[in-house]
Amino acid sequence: MKTKLDARLLQEAEHFAFRFACEDCVHFDPGSPDAPARCAHGYPPGPRRDQLEIARGEITFCKEFELR
Ligand code: SF4
């Protein structure tokens, strides 16, 4: 789901400690030294925690995200 990344979203994300990244999702396997991180549903890497800081214009959220 694509969402416009504007000043209001950034402000509210910080205020409410917004969780949206793969690292916060129950379906995320962080991997090990021998295996890369992956999504248990087989999706390509989704948004990461630093995405709000580096994304420009819009951000794509995963609709299968479930809070860990
Ligand atoms: S379901 Fe979506 S948010 Fe969760 S790990 Fe997979 S790609 Fe990331």
Side-chain angles (χ1 to χ4, degrees), residues 20-22 25 27-28 39 41 43-44 46 62 64-65:
F20 65 94
C22 283
C25 176
H27 305 299
F28 184 66
C39 169
H41 288 185
Y43 293 128
C62 177
E64 300 250 353
F65 174 89

Side-chain angles (χ1 to χ4, degrees), residues 17-38:
F18 185 40
R19 297 289 182 260
F20 65 94
C22 283
E23 293 95 327
D24 302 312
C25 176
V26 70
H27 305 299
F28 184 66
D29 175 355
S32 68
D34 301 325
R38 68 181 191 88

Side-chain angles (χ1 to χ4, degrees), residues 45-56:
R48 296 306 171 92
R49 285 186 182 133
D50 61 358
Q51 202 70 42
L52 291 180
E53 298 160 17
I54 61 176
R56 295 286 180 264

